[in-house]
């Protein structure tokens, strides 16, 4: 379905929980996080219902996110049902990888087509500093298991932060030589209460592009139609790709194809806008599908035109990243 700015909206990011087993410096504080109560979080049945309605309004790809999706109990049974929704062409998942080793085979068997694993450093002690947990070994074993059970490609999300991991850009890019990994460098976004975002920490995708140019000829790769606004390249002769997600520097709102559903059932058109549509209340009140479809259509049509971060500067949203789903 088209929004009021002529964009095709076909991609839903579904946050199944606000809980997480890590505390990444740019996402969740170590202490004082108020989690949503279980009764306020959508049940899996409610999520399946809403996704089914979104498919009727043109959604073709769903990405599971969070919080950390793998910490929610019963996820595999949910994935089995989600992947069977008629009309959905792709179901993918983003995880921090900590619990992946034991779940990769089941996730694959459900029909999840691709996974993204977030990993910001290849140095265990640095991963500890960024995530607050000593988890590098678990994440790496999770990646290897995902590869073993046949996920291909495996995407690795790297949030690039000056003074934290900017000296590892080429090491990550080098992984594409030996492995079919797609490395996606993401600009640090100003979405957290602890406010780690500072101009001096910000590394633009242009800075990253300049570094990886030193590794060889960068050949642009056409992204798949649901990928949204990532720039993709292959370094000549390598297995994997490089993706650059310039959420701030590259003004890509005109290409944005996404909607987001929060764990408590709010539909959002933009990560950086607090404009949201409550679907849980009418669903629990027993409102008819026709009514819910109208709300979804209204949310799609009125998706914000742009995030305005370049115009108005970084700002915080009322919900943190782990409550929206990054
Ligand atoms: N827990 C899962 C994970 O970390 O992959 C899924 C949820 S997480 C919110 C989704 C993605 O958002 C991750 O790749 C994470 O690195 C990214 N992210 C979180 N906070 C961010 C921020 N302030 N700036 C840029 N990316 C961020
Ligand atoms: Fe958890 Fe993912 Fe946020 Fe890190 S980025 S704290 S793993 S939800």
């Amino acid at each position: 379905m088209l929004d009021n700015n002529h964009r095709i909206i076909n991609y839903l990011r579904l946050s199944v929980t606000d809980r997480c087993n890590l505390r990444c410096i740019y996402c969740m504080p170590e202490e004082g996080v108020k989690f949503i109560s279980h009764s306020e979080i959508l049940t899996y049945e409610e999520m399946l219902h809403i996704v089914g309605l979104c498919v009727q309004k043109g959604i073709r790809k769903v990405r599971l996110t969070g919080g950390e999706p793998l910490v929610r109990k019963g996820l595999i049974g949910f994935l089995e049902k989600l992947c069977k929704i008629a009309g959905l062409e792709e179901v993918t998942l983003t995880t921090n990888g900590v619990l992946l080793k034991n779940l990769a085979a089941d996730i694959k068997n459900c029909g999840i087509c691709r996974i993204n694993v977030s990993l910001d450093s290849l140095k265990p002690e640095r991963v500890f500093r960024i995530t607050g947990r000593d988890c590098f070994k678990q994440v790496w074993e999770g990646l290897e298991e995902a590869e073993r059970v046949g996920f291909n490609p495996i995407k690795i999300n790297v949030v690039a932060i000056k003074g934290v991991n900017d000296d590892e850009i080429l090491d990550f890019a080098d992984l594409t030589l030996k492995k079919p990994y797609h490395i996606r460098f993401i600009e640090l976004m100003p979405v957290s209460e602890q406010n780690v975002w500072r101009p001096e920490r910000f590394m633009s995708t242009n800075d990253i592009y300049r570094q990886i140019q030193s590794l060889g000829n960068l050949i642009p790769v056409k992204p798949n139609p649901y990928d949204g606004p990532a720039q993709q390249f292959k370094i000549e002769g390598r297995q994997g790709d490089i993706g650059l997600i310039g959420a701030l520097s590259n003004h890509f709102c005109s290409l944005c194809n996404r909607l987001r559903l929060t764990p408590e059932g709010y539909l959002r058109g933009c990560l950086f806008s607090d404009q949201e549509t409550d679907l849980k209340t009418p669903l629990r009140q027993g409102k008819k599908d026709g009514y819910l479809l109208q709300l979804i259509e209204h949310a799609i049509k009125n998706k914000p035109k742009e995030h305005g971060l370049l115009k108005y500067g970084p700002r915080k949203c009322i919900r943190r990243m782990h409550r929206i789903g990054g």
Side-chain angles (χ1 to χ4, degrees):
M1 178 176 166
L2 288 180
D3 74 356
N4 286 339
N5 292 294
H6 315 291
R7 296 172 293 196
I8 298 174
I9 310 303
N10 52 18
Y11 175 12
L12 177 70
R13 292 179 72 97
L14 174 61
S15 178
V16 294
T17 179
D18 61 334
R19 287 161 169 77
C20 187
N21 44 2
L22 299 184
R23 293 289 180 273
C24 301
I25 48 172
Y26 45 71
C27 181
M28 258 172 129
E30 186 60 52
E31 281 162 18
V33 189
K34 276 203 203 100
F35 291 110
I36 309 164
S37 70
H38 286 293
S39 62
E40 290 305 315
I41 287 189
L42 292 178
T43 63
Y44 285 139
E45 287 66 32
E46 288 168 335
M47 284 184 185
L48 290 168
H49 192 141
I50 292 176
V51 173
L53 296 175
C54 288
V55 170
Q56 289 187 42
K57 289 288 163 195
I59 294 298
R60 295 292 172 263
K61 168 178 173 175
V62 169
R63 173 173 296 279
L64 278 287
T65 178
E68 171 49 35
L70 303 194
V71 302
R72 182 154 174 186
K73 288 202 183 87
L75 185 81
I76 298 299
F78 169 63
L79 293 183
E80 274 171 7
K81 291 182 187 146
L82 182 70
C83 290
K84 289 192 181 117
I85 291 181
L88 257 192
E89 292 168 16
E90 276 190 22
V91 184
T92 60
L93 179 141
T94 300
T95 171
N96 61 32
V98 173
L99 300 174
L100 187 57
K101 187 177 172 188
N102 288 335
L103 291 171
D106 287 342
I107 293 171
K108 181 89 175 83
N109 289 338
C110 291
I112 297 289
C113 28
R114 274 179 286 118
I115 56 169
N116 288 27
V117 178
S118 302
L119 180 65
D120 298 329
S121 172
L122 298 169
K123 300 179 182 183
E125 70 290 354
R126 197 175 271 184
V127 171
F128 190 177
R129 251 183 290 138
I130 296 171
T131 66
R133 304 289 182 271
D134 185 11
C135 62
F136 176 80
K137 186 166 175 283
Q138 281 160 283
V139 178
W140 196 257
E141 287 175 357
L143 275 167
E144 288 179 332
E145 180 63 6
E147 204 182 327
R148 197 191 66 75
V149 302
F151 280 108
N152 185 2
I154 293 168
K155 297 192 178 183
I156 302 188
N157 286 358
V158 184
V159 178
I161 313 172
K162 265 196 193 145
V164 174
N165 62 356
D166 53 334
D167 55 343
E168 292 190 68
I169 302 295
L170 295 183
D171 295 340
F172 271 109
D174 253 346
L175 284 178
T176 62
L177 192 60
K178 304 160 217 143
K179 301 270 194 187
Y181 293 166
H182 288 200
I183 311 295
R184 291 156 42 93
F185 294 104
I186 304 173
E187 286 178 353
L188 179 65
M189 293 183 269
V191 196
S192 73
E193 267 181 23
Q194 62 272 47
N195 216 0
V196 262
W197 200 94
R198 312 238 189 299
E200 63 274 18
R201 288 197 175 137
F202 180 69
M203 188 169 192
S204 75
T205 46
N206 279 345
D207 297 338
I208 297 166
Y209 184 87
R210 273 193 291 274
Q211 283 203 29
I212 51 178
Q213 258 181 329
S214 67
L215 294 175
N217 199 12
L218 294 182
I219 305 155
V221 174
K222 204 167 175 257
N224 110 7
Y226 306 127
D227 272 354
Q231 294 170 276
Q232 263 174 252
F233 304 93
K234 193 175 262 309
I235 306 173
E236 208 164 14
R238 303 210 172 188
Q239 295 187 54
D241 288 357
I242 304 279
L244 300 177
I245 325 290
L248 257 69
S249 69
N250 182 357
H251 201 36
F252 58 33
C253 300
S254 64
L255 299 174
C256 185
N257 59 345
R258 301 169 178 192
L259 276 187
R260 294 180 150 83
L261 184 66
T262 69
E264 69 270 60
Y266 291 92
L267 205 53
R268 291 175 71 107
C270 177
L271 189 55
F272 300 100
S273 160
D274 288 325
Q275 182 181 314
E276 1 180 77
T277 304
D278 176 10
L279 295 180
K280 182 183 63 193
T281 305
L283 183 66
R284 290 192 179 172
Q285 284 169 344
K287 290 275 192 307
K288 297 250 161 54
D289 283 355
Y291 179 77
L292 295 166
L293 283 165
Q294 274 177 15
L295 291 180
I296 295 169
E297 187 171 325
H298 184 265
I300 293 177
K301 287 218 164 119
N302 292 288
K303 178 178 159 72
K305 186 171 179 215
E306 54 188 17
H307 56 50
L309 289 169
L310 295 178
K311 244 188 248 167
Y312 310 116
R315 63 175 185 270
K316 285 188 286 182
C317 305
I318 51 166
R319 291 181 205 285
R320 293 175 184 161
M321 191 75 133
H322 68 102
R323 291 186 72 165
I324 303 171

